[in-house]
């Protein structure tokens, strides 16, 4: 049996959906946190995932197109011994993650830190715009110090 | 959330999280409690286990408002995760942080 096969056998997944309304962002994030806690993630990892899913779901809800507001926000997450990967499906007009600034806004700005925080707390994020539905993929290795944190 | 006025300080405590879930209501309650004689907002963060960018926005708004009166926001006893997040966002020196 290959190591990949072993990893697949030990993985677990969760699929969630919630109405496109403000309160859903935290509900989704708490569900993800509880799921990951049952699978043995540590305190820092749990905070990282709770924060990142909160930010991603909040964006999906806040920027949903009028038609998208009647559709659910979906989150799927898969945990394996080495990696946690999540996908957040949104119905916004989307944005170009590659061109999104990596820098922080000035301290006095109240907004503009959500994507920055996702980049800091995740090892990899990717965003694909589709027809009507966009997908944000988030990955974080387990038990590895990751290198995205600002110096 | 509990509010206690001791001029020129408004003390806030008992906040379990400061996030998109409650940012608007927390902002509204604190704004209503702040008078022209308050110059400092002291947030007891010992019960606050989660904060997100919306919560940061609320704290920044009050820091700007009170900073113009030579006051500001003090974050007392933040948990490790919250303090780390403040460091990542380079806001750890923007607010006054008291660990004891």
């Amino acid at each position: 049996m290959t190591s990949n096969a072993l990893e697949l056998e030990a993985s677990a997944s969760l699929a969630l959906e919630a109405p496109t309304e403000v309160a859903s962002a935290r509900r989704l994030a708490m569900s993800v946190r509880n799921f990951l806690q049952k699978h043995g993630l540590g305190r820092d990892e749990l905070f990282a995932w709770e924060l990142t899913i909160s930010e991603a779901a909040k964006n999906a809800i806040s920027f949903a197109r009028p038609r998208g507001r009647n559709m659910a926000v979906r989150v799927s997450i898969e945990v394996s011994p080495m990696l946690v990967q999540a996908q957040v499906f949104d119905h916004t007009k989307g944005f170009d993650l590659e061109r999104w600034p990596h820098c922080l806004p000035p301290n006095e700005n109240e907004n503009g830190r959500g994507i920055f925080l996702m980049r800091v707390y995740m090892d990899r994020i990717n965003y694909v715009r589709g027809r009507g539905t966009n997908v944000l993929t988030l990955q974080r290795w387990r038990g590895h110090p990751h290198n995205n944190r600002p110096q | 959330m509990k509010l206690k006025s001791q001029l020129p300080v408004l003390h806030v405590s008992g906040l379990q999280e400061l996030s998109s879930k409650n940012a608007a209501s927390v902002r509204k309650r604190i704004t209503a409690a702040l008078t022209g004689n308050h110059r400092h907002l002291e947030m007891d963060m010992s019960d606050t286990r989660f904060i997100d960018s919306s919560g940061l926005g609320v704290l920044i708004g009050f820091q700007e408002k009170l900073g113009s009166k030579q006051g500001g926001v003090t974050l007392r006893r933040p948990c490790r995760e919250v303090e780390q997040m403040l460091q990542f966002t380079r806001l750890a020196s923007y607010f006054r942080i008291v660990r004891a």
Side-chain angles (χ1 to χ4, degrees):
Chain A
M1 189 179 289
T2 67
S3 60
N4 280 346
L6 277 171
E7 189 171 312
L8 281 173
E9 279 186 2
S11 70
S13 61
L14 176 71
L16 301 161
E17 62 176 52
T20 301
E21 56 190 37
V22 174
S24 295
R26 292 293 296 132
R27 278 204 294 267
L28 288 165
M30 283 306 300
S31 297
V32 166
R33 181 190 172 96
N34 292 339
F35 170 74
L36 294 175
Q37 192 165 22
K38 285 177 190 163
H39 288 86
L41 269 74
R43 187 173 151 175
D44 288 344
E45 293 172 296
L46 292 172
F47 183 84
W49 279 106
E50 184 179 354
L51 176 63
T52 305
I53 297 296
S54 280
E55 297 291 345
K58 184 175 67 176
N59 286 347
I61 291 161
S62 302
F63 299 107
R65 294 177 179 208
R67 197 175 52 187
R69 293 195 184 113
N70 299 320
M71 302 163 86
V73 176
R74 289 188 293 129
V75 175
S76 67
I77 188 151
E78 183 171 359
V79 55
S80 70
M82 296 290 286
L83 181 74
V84 180
Q85 174 172 296
Q87 291 186 309
V88 179
F89 301 84
D90 73 66
H91 308 288
T92 70
K93 70 175 184 180
F95 68 103
D96 189 343
L97 180 64
E98 298 299 316
R99 293 187 178 187
W100 198 263
H102 282 253
C103 57
L104 279 163
N107 281 348
E108 64 270 22
N109 283 24
E110 292 188 24
N111 301 309
R113 292 174 180 81
I115 302 290
F116 176 88
L117 287 169
M118 288 187 223
R119 282 175 166 150
V120 167
Y121 281 92
M122 293 291 114
D123 287 309
R124 184 167 179 268
I125 72 172
N126 184 48
Y127 189 72
V128 176
R129 281 186 279 191
R131 288 186 180 175
T133 304
N134 313 299
V135 186
L136 175 68
T137 302
L138 306 155
Q139 293 180 327
R140 183 178 159 119
W141 295 102
R142 293 184 65 181
H144 289 246
H146 57 104
N147 299 319
N148 292 343
R149 293 177 177 181
Q151 300 301 307
Chain B
M1 179 174 78
K2 292 177 186 166
L3 300 169
K4 184 181 172 187
S5 177
Q6 282 182 310
L7 288 173
V9 183
L10 180 66
H11 298 269
V12 179
S13 61
L15 204 54
Q16 294 185 346
E17 68 175 82
L18 184 52
S19 69
S20 59
K21 178 181 171 183
N22 63 352
S25 63
V26 168
R27 188 194 298 267
K28 192 173 173 182
R29 282 192 64 191
I30 293 175
T31 299
L34 279 174
T35 67
N37 294 324
H38 287 113
R39 287 193 295 118
H40 301 281
L41 179 64
E42 183 164 309
M43 306 282 296
D44 180 347
M45 305 287 281
S46 50
D47 295 328
T48 311
R49 62 154 207 88
F50 183 80
I51 186 166
D52 66 9
S53 63
S54 299
L56 286 178
V58 171
L59 298 176
I60 290 167
F62 287 119
Q63 174 63 37
E64 288 301 306
K65 182 175 183 174
L66 297 169
S68 66
K69 298 198 283 187
Q70 282 71 55
V73 175
T74 298
L75 306 178
R76 189 173 285 277
R77 292 189 286 271
C79 68
R80 186 182 77 211
E81 292 89 341
V82 169
E83 188 165 353
Q84 195 173 53
M85 184 185 170
L86 292 167
Q87 287 165 359
F88 291 158
T89 50
R90 301 202 174 96
L91 292 167
S93 56
Y94 175 71
F95 302 111
R96 179 168 172 258
I97 296 178
V98 177
R99 294 177 183 86

